[in-house]
Amino acid sequence: RRKVDSEGRRFQDRWKVEYFFTEIENHCVCLICQETVAVYKEFNVKRHYQSRHSTYDKLTGHDRSEKLKQLEAVLIECVMKMVENICPEKKQEFANICLARNTVARRIEEISSDIKRQLTSKGVDFDFFSIACDESTDLSDTAQLLIFMRGVDDEMNVTEELLDLQSLTDQTRGKDLFVSVSSAIDDMKLPWNKVTGIITDGAPAMVGERSGLSTLICNKVIEEGGKAIKLHCIIHQQVLCAKHLKYDHVMKPVLKTINFIRSKALCHRQFKQFLLDIQAEYEDVLYHNDVRWLSRGSALQRFYSLRKEIGEFLETKGQPMRELSDPIWLADLGFLVDITKHLNVLNTSLQGKDAAVNQLYSHLKAFGTKLQLFIRQLSQTQPNTIHFSALQEIMNSFPQDNISAQTSRYAADIASLAGEFKQRFQDFASIEKEISLFSSPFSVDPDDAPDQLQLELIELHCDSELRSRHQQLSLVNFYRQLDKSRFQEIRTLAKKMLSLFGSTYVCAKTFSAMNFNKNRVRTRLSDSHLRDILRIKT
């Protein structure tokens, strides 16, 4: 005979609305008469409902859902009254019990649906919006495409939210990504002619000249009567520029030493105990992960701080590191530590949610100016290393080795880095005039402004009260208070600039949340539930 327990039958959530049943302590209970059905079988549940409660068939749609809520409330109330009489001290414990195992999942779905409804309602009021896209693979080898939206309404209110998470089970070509993005935008009923730009991580499928996602999106916007710009994430470009300074003769010995210490458990334990015994500044060295933005600088800084302790430990292991006794190599290490520290400071300043494109570009321009300062200081006859503390320390430790002669080489390397920065950020440089006009309207000559803005810009320059407000208020509040009829074109430019993403930081952060939720023990998490979780998380 067939054994019911081995069939793996489960309570189906749809039975609640269809038959007014719920699950309580692994029993299938009718919410109307409180009778129990012995087996989790739809035939049994349906037969009970049709034979005893068929009068409820007249309830449909919203009315049926409301009736279900009423019946669940009555059941809870009956249980709580029973608890008050039998064991009142456990009333709170019973109040926290969920009626079914899927209750939490259902609540997450409801919250996600409500957030989506609110976003759809806000989207109607958007004058302009842009999108940020990034794609990654989860632990179940499903390609997940994150689509974020940044919209601005007529009151200069900025909304930055997750538009959708599209799961791709086949190829991830540009046209496949375009179909997914189009589906998300159309599902939210957003007009294509209001798209001002798209920003991606620079992958070939994203930025291909003919069939990349960015190209297809911009072509679609042009067809609908709008105009959108393509941007490459400012943080990804900064990381690529940082890799321009390879310094393999420094990095390879450093990474080899770190891996030697940390790859074997015994050696790693002995090294940490050695640092503890001598009361070193740090307790361990750090692994280098090429994917993580700040990893290179952090690993180098820690290695440099523990260089003497590392040298002593390697001597005890019979694996001396000869580079640690070479002044020129140490100077190169110090220079690399200092320059990566400056690069990490830039990277950190570019991170964060809700950052406007003008703020990010100002950080970038400031760093370019810093590089020119470094070049001038290191090219002097008497090099100025005030902004290179590690290099300065090495130079002071080996005064007789004339390390200062190496500073001209460092200046040349920085000049090469500056050239890489200038070449990389052409997309942001192409809109530099619009960014300057948006962030500093009083410093732009009307002759240099677009034709449709010149007259309004003159009006703005001649208004002393508005000049005072610009100095006192935040940029968004300043544009929010501009007269809509008097400065219509300037407000339109401001809304377009505010709607632009400067980076895909929100995508990278959300992928971290995705990997945390869909981990090795939760690989069966469905794509729809993953979307709901991330929508709530962001």
Side-chain angles (χ1 to χ4, degrees):
R1 293 180 62 186
R2 189 175 59 178
K3 292 185 179 180
V4 173
D5 292 342
S6 65
E7 293 180 358
R9 288 179 176 150
R10 294 181 180 180
F11 181 83
Q12 303 296 317
D13 219 32
R14 58 184 177 84
W15 295 351
K16 288 189 173 186
V17 178
E18 293 180 10
Y19 311 119
F20 294 117
F21 267 77
T22 190
E23 183 187 32
I24 301 178
E25 294 184 354
N26 296 324
H27 293 292
C28 198
V29 181
C30 176
L31 287 168
I32 301 173
C33 63
Q34 283 78 51
E35 288 195 12
T36 302
V37 174
V39 181
Y40 285 120
K41 191 174 181 181
E42 184 170 10
F43 175 80
N44 295 358
V45 174
K46 186 176 181 179
R47 182 179 61 184
H48 174 90
Y49 172 77
Q50 290 180 341
S51 63
R52 301 194 182 189
H53 312 298
S54 58
T55 55
Y56 285 86
D57 284 341
K58 61 184 179 181
L59 298 174
T60 59
H62 179 71
D63 294 335
R64 197 170 183 86
S65 299
E66 288 298 317
K67 187 62 179 179
L68 173 62
K69 292 180 181 179
Q70 292 176 10
L71 292 172
E72 287 183 332
V74 170
L75 179 62
I76 294 173
E77 186 178 352
C78 293
V79 171
M80 294 308 297
K81 286 184 178 179
M82 180 179 67
V83 171
E84 286 181 6
N85 295 326
I86 299 176
C87 47
E89 70 280 0
K90 294 188 177 182
K91 181 179 177 180
Q92 188 59 42
E93 295 180 21
F94 278 86
N96 295 331
I97 294 176
C98 295
L99 289 176
R101 69 184 73 177
N102 294 325
T103 300
V104 174
R106 188 178 69 253
R107 288 174 179 172
I108 290 175
E109 291 170 359
E110 291 173 352
I111 294 172
S112 176
S113 298
D114 184 62
I115 293 173
K116 186 177 180 180
R117 282 193 297 270
Q118 292 182 45
L119 185 58
T120 304
S121 177
K122 287 184 178 180
V124 176
D125 299 325
F126 288 158
D127 287 344
F128 300 102
F129 71 94
S130 69
I131 56 176
C133 300
D134 199 357
E135 179 263 325
S136 183
T137 305
D138 62 23
L139 283 176
S140 61
D141 291 332
T142 301
Q144 303 289 358
L145 175 64
L146 276 174
I147 311 167
F148 273 85
M149 176 186 66
R150 182 181 173 95
V152 181
D153 62 17
D154 194 47
E155 299 299 324
M156 300 290 174
N157 297 312
V158 181
T159 301
E160 188 175 298
E161 292 288 346
L162 175 65
L163 181 62
D164 203 359
L165 174 72
Q166 293 278 338
S167 302
L168 305 173
T169 56
D170 202 353
Q171 298 188 67
T172 56
R173 298 166 298 182
K175 60 181 181 181
D176 301 313
L177 301 178
F178 175 71
V179 170
S180 298
V181 174
S182 299
S183 173
I185 293 178
D186 293 338
D187 183 53
M188 296 291 287
K189 298 179 175 58
L190 296 169
W192 282 91
N193 60 355
K194 293 184 178 181
V195 178
T196 57
I198 174 173
I199 191 165
T200 63
D201 63 345
M206 295 284 188
V207 298
E209 286 296 327
R210 293 184 178 180
S211 58
L213 173 62
S214 299
T215 302
L216 296 175
I217 290 289
C218 290
N219 292 341
K220 175 70 173 178
V221 174
I222 292 173
E223 290 175 6
E224 297 294 329
K227 183 180 179 182
I229 61 173
K230 298 183 290 185
L231 294 175
H232 182 183
C233 172
I234 198 169
I235 299 179
H236 280 83
Q237 292 195 78
Q238 184 270 333
V239 173
L240 291 173
C241 288
K243 292 181 179 179
H244 181 71
L245 286 177
K246 295 186 180 298
Y247 270 62
D248 287 341
H249 69 288
V250 174
M251 287 301 301
K252 286 182 179 179
V254 169
L255 297 182
K256 181 181 178 181
T257 301
I258 293 174
N259 292 336
F260 171 78
I261 292 173
R262 297 204 54 162
S263 60
K264 295 181 180 179
L266 174 61
C267 184
H268 190 203
R269 288 198 304 270
Q270 291 174 338
F271 178 70
K272 291 198 293 184
Q273 185 60 44
F274 173 75
L275 295 180
L276 184 64
D277 292 341
I278 64 175
Q279 298 181 348
E281 182 180 1
Y282 298 103
E283 298 178 353
D284 203 356
V285 290
L286 300 177
Y287 264 132
H288 169 56
N289 187 334
D290 199 43
V291 176
R292 298 189 179 277
W293 294 333
L294 308 178
S295 176
R296 187 189 191 197
S298 301
L300 282 170
Q301 178 64 52
R302 183 64 60 87
F303 181 90
Y304 176 81
S305 300
L306 294 174
R307 65 190 185 282
K308 294 179 181 179
E309 292 84 349
I310 291 172
E312 294 176 13
F313 178 76
L314 293 178
E315 289 286 349
T316 63
K317 287 290 184 180
Q319 298 284 341
M321 186 176 180
R322 296 182 179 85
E323 289 85 355
L324 292 176
S325 58
D326 182 357
I328 303 300
W329 187 89
L330 287 173
D332 290 349
L333 172 64
F335 169 73
L336 190 59
V337 168
D338 290 327
I339 196 65
T340 52
K341 180 181 178 181
H342 291 302
L343 288 165
N344 279 4
V345 170
L346 172 62
N347 189 289
T348 304
S349 66
L350 296 176
Q351 296 180 30
K353 192 180 178 183
D354 300 322
V357 66
N358 64 296
Q359 296 172 324
L360 301 180
Y361 192 62
S362 65
H363 290 307
L364 193 65
K365 290 190 68 176
F367 187 75
T369 305
K370 290 178 184 178
L371 290 181
Q372 297 303 320
L373 174 66
F374 298 157
I375 294 170
R376 291 194 300 271
Q377 290 181 337
L378 294 178
S379 300
Q380 296 173 0
T381 307
Q382 295 294 326
N384 184 355
T385 57
I386 187 64
H387 302 296
F388 293 83
S389 56
L391 176 60
Q392 191 175 53
E393 182 181 358
I394 296 299
M395 291 173 65
N396 294 335
S397 301
F398 300 93
Q400 70 281 3
D401 289 283
N402 194 24
I403 299 176
S404 59
Q406 303 296 322
T407 55
S408 58
R409 176 164 59 89
Y410 302 147
D413 291 337
I414 295 177
S416 177
L417 179 63
E420 183 72 11
F421 266 86
K422 187 174 181 180
Q423 180 183 358
R424 277 277 177 192
F425 295 92
Q426 293 295 321
D427 47 356
F428 284 91
S430 65
I431 59 170
E432 184 174 3
K433 289 184 178 179
E434 288 82 356
I435 293 175
S436 299
L437 187 56
F438 167 64
S439 58
S440 306
F442 290 95
S443 61
V444 176
D445 191 329
D447 291 335
D448 298 330
D451 296 341
Q452 71 273 18
L453 294 175
Q454 289 176 343
L455 297 182
E456 292 185 7
L457 199 59
I458 292 172
E459 289 280 344
L460 190 69
H461 284 189
C462 296
D463 195 320
S464 57
E465 183 180 351
L466 290 178
R467 187 182 293 272
S468 177
R469 286 184 190 175
H470 183 261
Q471 296 174 350
Q472 296 173 359
L473 300 175
S474 65
L475 206 54
V476 175
N477 286 333
F478 168 74
Y479 284 108
R480 186 176 288 141
Q481 293 186 12
L482 283 183
D483 187 270
K484 296 180 181 179
S485 58
R486 186 182 174 192
F487 300 104
Q488 183 179 357
E489 293 296 335
I490 291 180
R491 281 175 54 87
T492 298
L493 173 69
K495 285 183 282 188
K496 288 182 178 180
M497 289 294 104
L498 283 173
S499 69
L500 290 176
F501 279 98
S503 73
T504 57
Y505 170 82
V506 286
C507 296
K509 186 177 180 181
T510 306
F511 277 133
S512 296
M514 180 189 76
N515 293 330
F516 178 80
N517 284 278
K518 193 168 184 177
N519 51 44
R520 288 178 295 176
V521 296
R522 298 182 70 192
T523 55
R524 295 182 63 187
L525 185 67
S526 68
D527 294 330
S528 60
H529 283 161
L530 179 62
R531 181 191 303 113
D532 293 334
I533 291 171
L534 296 183
R535 193 185 296 280
I536 296 170
K537 175 68 176 178
T538 56

